[in-house]
Amino acid sequence: MSPNEASTSLIMIFGATGDLAKRKLYPSLYHLFRKGKLAKQFAIIGTARSPWTHEQFRENVKDSVLTSIGTNDQIDDFVSHFYYQPHDVTDTNSYIKLRELAAELDSKYSLNGNRIFYLAMAPEFFGTIADHLKADGLTDTLGFKRLVIEKPFGHDLESAESLNAQIRKSFAEEEIYRIDHYLGKAMVQNIEVIRFANAFFEPLWNNRYISNIQITSSEKLGVEERARYYEKSGALRDMVQNHMLQMVALLAMEPPIRLTTDEIRSEKVKVFRALRPIEGEEVDEYFVRGQYGQGTINADEVVSYRDELNVNPQSNTETFVAGKVMIDNFRWAGVPFYIRTGKRMTTKSTKIVIQFKDIPMNLYNRNEQLNPNLLVIHIQPEEGITLHLNAKKSGQNMQTNPVKLNFSNDGTNGINTPEAYEKLLYDCLQGDATNFTHWDEVALSWRFVDKISEVWEHQTQSQFPNYSAGTMGPKEAEQLVQKDGYFWWNITDLDVENC
Ligand code: NAP
């Protein structure tokens, strides 16, 4: 086995005919295969109810690779490892056939009994599948067994606890890989490195030097075909409970004593434990929700959320959330972490802006305010870092001028940055769970979010829609930051190409 090569394994994909498998999993597996990162010996079983044959499955995998990557070099060799089993996840007989196919492939490819079960299916099936995998003998194997679970992991703490209790009957915590695909993104993984590998950031990374941190994850898209799911979820559960709070944890955690899964997770968990609970009347003070009305995106008129397909015309589901998150510990006391996420906003972008405190006195432009120093981490679609500084204006005077130092991660390694799913699949094959969420993180983040959704569920929301499609959300989101003396940095101004 080459040093980069992942463990030999049988990967079973539940939901193999679905959107996620097609758009993300097959192209990512193909990338790993082409880079020599999959073991020579591997096999993949796809399952779903559609009555496909192995051949039909392979043709579909070929199609999805070609559509997504535009090339299909060595594709026949790649797809020869794919097998299909028509399977209803609620039916015991299906699992027995699956067990037989797994045993056959295990011996054909010498897979040492290593198994990864990837649940790319609707969440209501997660528990049932885990139960069957154990009861019908699929987890009874000599090698490792790992369960990969897509989001959402529950829809509140109670449902997450019951799902967790159910899957823990079949898998130990260290065998469960809960996906938060933001943790697979190159620049999210870079947060730790920027902080802990640079002498000049870490000493300033605290409430003495940082005034506030802003995390924005905006989408231009509306709810698209996801209305049935989204109506029950909304932006708070869909984005804040997982991706946004995970970014907060990475920005706020203490340096781990070692870069091991346990040490990193334990530091993140401490951040979740230090989140100031926001409950009751405080919710309106700290959090703002919004729902898009009609508006203009890319010069096209788009309908309001309530007019989207499969959305209740009186829906109170939020498509936007802005919040002020406080971390009550020694390092962060008094520093607001502002988070903002929504659909149908001006631009598609995920960025983190770290705003440093003003210097005590401006020697240069006495009547003006100096621009604050900013560190901007561009997560997507651009990947990079920008540092905003003040330098001398050219000429005789001693006036200052804002300058920006840019690093763009796109293409710097000579290859496109691997997609999040490619990294996460590889990590799972290697048995590295660092970039997956531990149960404690999931539970604590639900505890935080539940207190907010409980209040919102009991309030009549008469203001919706309260922002037009194509804008950065309701005016209350601006006020949330302004009342602390700040403003949201304009995301498009901060783009790498505008720097
Ligand atoms: P999807 O397109 O609806 O696919 C669902 C899959 O489940 C299909 O392959 C379907 O195939 C299969 N299925 C449904 N009922 C079944 C049953 N009783 N027995 C066996 N198979 C059954 O869903 P998706 O978009 O791929 O999402 C899958 C999971 O990933 C969800 O948890 C979602 O929240 C999560 N996720 C998706 C995305 C994305 O970009 N799509 C992003 C993040 C997270 P048959 O109809 O052939 O049975």
Side-chain angles (χ1 to χ4, degrees), residues 394-407:
S394 55
Q396 295 298 323
N397 57 34
M398 286 300 276
Q399 300 258 298
T400 62
N401 204 23
V403 295
K404 291 155 193 166
L405 306 184
N406 257 337
F407 160 71

Side-chain angles (χ1 to χ4, degrees), residues 17-34:
T17 59
D19 178 67
L20 181 80
K22 254 189 274 184
R23 284 193 311 111
K24 303 287 184 193
L25 304 187
Y26 306 140
S28 298
L29 286 164
Y30 175 73
H31 272 305
L32 290 174
F33 174 75
R34 290 285 291 123

